[in-house]
Amino acid sequence: MANKNILLIEPAYKNKYPPLGLMKIAQYHGPHGTRDNVRFIKGEDRSVFGTAWDRIYVTTLFSFEYAKISESIDFALKVANRHADKVFVGGIAASLMHEKFLQEPRWRGIRFIKGLLSTPPATSLRLDDFSEELYSEDCLSTPIEDLVPDYNILDQIDYKYPVRDGYFAYTSRGCIRKCNFCGVPKLEGAQRDTDSLTSLVKAIDERYGPKKDLILMDNNVVASARFKDIIAEIRDLGFVPGATIRRSHERIAVRRRVDFNQGVDARILCKDPMYLRELATICLKPLRIAFDHLGLKKVYEQAIRFAHEHGLVELSNYMLYNFKDSPTDLFERMRLNVQLNEELKIRIWSFPMRYQPTDRPDRGFVGAKWTRYQLRSMQIVLQATHGVVSGAPDFFKRAFGDTAADFERILMLPHDFTFNREWYERFDEKQELHEYNEVAKALDESDRAELLTLLSSVEPREIALLPNTTENKRVKDVLRFYVPKPKPELFEIWRKQRERLDAEKAGLDTLAEDERVEDAGLDDDDSAPTPTPFVTATQNKQRAMA
């Protein structure tokens, strides 16, 4: 039954890693599987309307990309001429918001697959043998989840994933934890080991050529009973400190690296230096550790010190915020990294990750100890720093303040001032920021709470109406600074600012793109301009040395 037409669709969102699920489905339908004609597109490619497709698969990633996912599902239905039974939708969002997808009337008849394709294809895809659906008799072959990813399909699209030259693999699935903010227990269940990493790497080498890096997507590798065996296997594959590779198309050898891109568990790392000693025997870069709330301070700090003792000095750090934390909690975690950087002479790059419920289709969730306005302010600051919190003291103080009170003051600044801090602090002849600071000094704690509540209750274009909603004179007086400036005035500010900062633009940070995180929530407001970085050339240099 070979030679069927199979279409794979990834929605048009920005993402760092290729769609591993679709790559495995491509393997199932490809030359080493059912020998079908496989086409891969990203977003909507109208050229696919010229083919009669026998099956269409749509992958999904983060739940807050629901709008773009919906567009791809609607597009798939059109391509299938409304034959919903030919359309299959799976992945993270489809699993975590399974009921929401099923309840959408216009998608009735589409198969929404929940969880991993970890049983034989006919079972995991819910194929109907009575209806003689394509490959419905395939009840015994290898689960799609266990297949070798097909790297060739990535050449069919123009989109370039920031991380693509690597072996994408798992040495374990699931997790021993059941954190309330995490979707892994629902997606993958309890922790368990996977099949041989060596076999997978060799199969990829044979079919697609050797890859530079080893990208391991384990959720909690240090919790595996086979942890030491896993690390030994990685060493045996050649991924040891200083490892390089030179392929036929390369003039010089390039350095390789291992990345456990979901991070490792500080609560386990701190128990025994063995874990960091083992990790130091592979070319790990960076060491990623989560620091989700201030209650983990002791175990997190111990893990960092063990890492330093074993020569692991390049670290990356996930920091959850907008969950049960407060702005002060987040600030103290960020500042701890600055202190550890200074004391241990290491480099920790922090990535604040805004919490969103795993079943929410947008980014609108506001934690109990945050306000909508503060979250938008945090996003603006992170846009200016490219989503990264450097451990360089001067840079950190400039971006986030020297104390928790400074940080909360920054989060309450009018957004035009935050976007254009260089201008208002250094070049503005009107001294508007100084005038604002003088007026804001009169606000007490109750006034500030009322101000944040008001600012969080409306869209920016409606702020001009807010003075009519309060009797508080001090709040009325300060609200005028929050009214967004007209676009022509902002354009003129940006033009003048660019002229004065040309010599200070180069190199906001030196962190490689493939060491960043998958999503930091920096692009969810397409209407917002990209702010000019509020660091000076001197601070850039200090940051690069951090």
Side-chain angles (χ1 to χ4, degrees):
M1 203 183 292
N3 215 33
K4 298 298 181 179
N5 294 319
I6 308 298
L7 179 62
L8 312 177
I9 302 177
E10 180 179 53
Y13 39 59
K14 295 179 181 178
N15 48 317
K16 180 177 176 180
Y17 301 99
L20 191 57
L22 288 186
M23 292 167 73
K24 293 180 178 182
I25 290 173
Q27 189 69 249
Y28 174 66
H29 285 288
H32 299 279
T34 56
R35 301 188 301 282
D36 297 314
N37 304 310
V38 179
R39 173 84 184 275
F40 172 46
I41 65 172
K42 188 168 180 66
E44 298 183 14
D45 184 339
R46 303 194 69 81
S47 68
V48 301
F49 281 108
T51 301
W53 299 100
D54 297 288
R55 184 169 295 165
I56 301 174
Y57 297 93
V58 182
T59 188
T60 67
L61 191 57
F62 300 121
S63 59
F64 51 73
E65 297 284 10
Y66 185 80
K68 286 187 172 66
I69 292 168
S70 297
E71 291 172 2
S72 287
I73 297 174
D74 291 339
F75 179 74
L77 266 178
K78 290 179 184 177
V79 175
N81 290 316
R82 311 304 300 181
H83 292 295
D85 60 317
K86 292 186 177 182
V87 179
F88 294 71
V89 180
I92 294 175
S95 298
L96 296 178
M97 298 196 301
H98 195 64
E99 290 303 316
K100 181 174 180 62
F101 283 95
L102 290 175
Q103 291 169 5
E104 177 54 54
R106 71 182 190 273
W107 296 337
R108 187 172 289 113
I110 290 177
R111 258 164 286 199
F112 292 98
I113 308 300
K114 186 176 183 179
L116 305 176
L117 301 178
S118 53
T119 55
T123 304
S124 60
L125 295 173
R126 305 204 313 269
L127 303 179
D128 186 354
D129 192 34
F130 182 79
S131 300
E132 297 185 344
E133 284 192 301
L134 183 63
Y135 304 126
S136 59
E137 76 283 357
D138 191 4
C139 299
L140 298 175
S141 65
T142 302
I144 293 173
E145 166 65 20
D146 296 334
L147 296 179
V148 177
D150 184 343
Y151 285 75
N152 284 343
I153 66 167
L154 305 183
D155 297 330
Q156 298 182 23
I157 61 173
D158 294 330
Y159 185 84
K160 299 300 180 186
Y161 299 95
V163 181
R164 56 188 179 275
D165 188 8
Y167 303 97
F168 298 102
Y170 291 86
T171 62
S172 65
R173 298 303 294 254
C175 185
I176 62 170
R177 310 288 182 193
K178 290 182 172 59
C179 302
N180 292 332
F181 55 80
C182 182
V184 169
K186 297 178 184 177
L187 287 167
E188 301 183 17
Q191 181 141 347
R192 62 202 179 278
D193 294 321
T194 60
D195 292 334
S196 169
L197 176 63
T198 301
S199 298
L200 176 63
V201 169
K202 288 183 176 179
I204 293 173
D205 285 347
E206 291 171 1
R207 297 180 189 183
Y208 310 106
K211 307 300 177 184
K212 181 173 77 74
D213 298 327
L214 180 58
I215 310 299
L216 296 170
M217 303 181 177
D218 301 49
N219 299 293
N220 200 340
V221 66
V222 293
S224 170
R226 293 187 59 252
F227 172 71
K228 295 179 76 170
D229 294 333
I230 291 169
I231 299 301
E233 192 173 7
I234 293 171
R235 288 196 301 267
D236 291 343
L237 287 168
F239 287 92
V240 295
T244 60
I245 184 174
R246 180 181 177 184
R247 293 161 289 191
S248 59
H249 64 280
E250 293 169 330
R251 295 178 57 190
I252 60 173
V254 292
R255 191 173 290 273
R256 310 183 89 175
R257 70 185 187 97
V258 176
D259 184 5
F260 286 100
N261 70 353
Q262 301 302 300
V264 288
D265 192 337
R267 289 163 290 188
I268 296 176
L269 294 179
C270 72
K271 293 180 179 179
D272 190 334
M274 175 276 294
Y275 293 102
L276 276 308
R277 184 169 59 246
E278 287 292 316
L279 289 170
T281 66
I282 60 176
C283 50
L284 184 65
K285 182 186 178 186
L287 168 62
R288 302 183 190 269
I289 305 178
F291 191 7
D292 292 322
H293 56 83
L294 203 55
L296 295 174
K297 178 180 178 180
K298 183 176 180 181
V299 298
Y300 171 76
E301 183 173 350
Q302 183 60 69
I304 296 296
R305 293 186 182 281
F306 280 158
H308 171 254
E309 289 174 12
H310 292 94
L312 291 167
V313 297
E314 295 192 56
L315 299 97
S316 174
N317 178 236
Y318 298 120
M319 286 190 178
L320 184 73
Y321 72 100
N322 190 42
F323 185 50
K324 295 181 179 179
D325 60 294
S326 65
T328 296
D329 178 300
L330 175 61
F331 178 83
E332 294 300 338
R333 284 180 281 154
M334 293 190 295
R335 186 169 64 174
L336 176 61
N337 278 344
V338 175
Q339 295 168 344
L340 290 170
N341 271 351
E342 285 193 280
E343 177 191 346
L344 303 176
K345 309 303 179 188
I346 58 179
R347 188 192 80 158
I348 307 175
W349 298 97
S350 298
F351 293 90
M353 303 293 291
R354 178 172 164 179
Y355 168 73
Q356 299 293 339
T358 57
D359 58 354
R360 181 165 178 145
D362 57 47
R363 296 182 188 266
F365 176 79
V366 180
K369 298 178 182 178
W370 288 78
T371 67
R372 182 185 178 203
Y373 190 83
Q374 288 173 316
L375 291 173
R376 180 70 183 106
S377 298
M378 184 65 182
Q379 181 190 14
I380 292 171
V381 174
L382 291 176
Q383 284 175 328
T385 67
H386 292 195
V388 181
V389 179
S390 168
D394 288 346
F395 180 90
F396 178 80
K397 291 176 183 178
R398 181 82 175 94
F400 300 98
D402 194 28
T403 66
D406 288 344
F407 181 50
E408 297 217 22
R409 177 186 58 79
I410 290 170
L411 295 182
M412 201 168 72
L413 280 173
H415 287 159
D416 282 338
F417 294 167
T418 308
F419 265 115
N420 305 288
R421 278 173 65 185
E422 280 295 297
W423 173 262
Y424 286 106
E425 291 183 356
R426 297 177 58 194
F427 307 127
D428 180 27
E429 296 175 356
K430 298 178 183 178
Q431 294 292 297
E432 288 185 73
L433 179 58
H434 174 75
E435 184 183 357
Y436 162 80
N437 286 332
E438 290 300 311
V439 175
K441 282 181 182 178
L443 301 177
D444 59 23
E445 185 175 348
S446 175
D447 296 332
R448 288 191 291 272
E450 180 182 352
L451 176 61
L452 285 172
T453 298
L454 288 173
L455 293 170
S456 299
S457 68
V458 297
E459 297 299 323
R461 64 181 178 274
E462 301 169 317
I463 290 177
L465 303 175
L466 287 178
N468 300 324
T469 66
T470 179
E471 299 297 324
N472 188 322
K473 184 179 184 305
R474 292 186 296 274
V475 173
K476 280 180 182 285
D477 288 344
V478 80
L479 275 170
R480 60 190 168 93
F481 294 97
Y482 289 86
V483 177
K485 294 188 178 300
K487 289 292 185 183
E489 184 176 341
L490 288 174
F491 289 146
E492 183 64 12
I493 287 174
W494 299 334
R495 184 189 66 78
K496 292 179 179 179
Q497 186 168 270
R498 279 196 299 270
E499 290 177 357
R500 303 190 189 195
L501 293 176
D502 275 347
E504 301 173 1
K505 275 185 177 180
L508 177 63
D509 63 74
T510 59
L511 188 65
E513 183 64 28
D514 59 4
E515 294 181 38
R516 297 179 182 276
V517 296
E518 170 74 5
D519 179 84
L522 306 182
D523 300 315
D524 59 322
D525 186 355
D526 294 333
S527 64
T530 300
T532 300
F534 45 73
V535 291
T536 65
T538 300
Q539 288 166 337
N540 280 333
K541 183 176 180 182
Q542 291 171 335
R543 184 180 184 190
M545 295 171 62

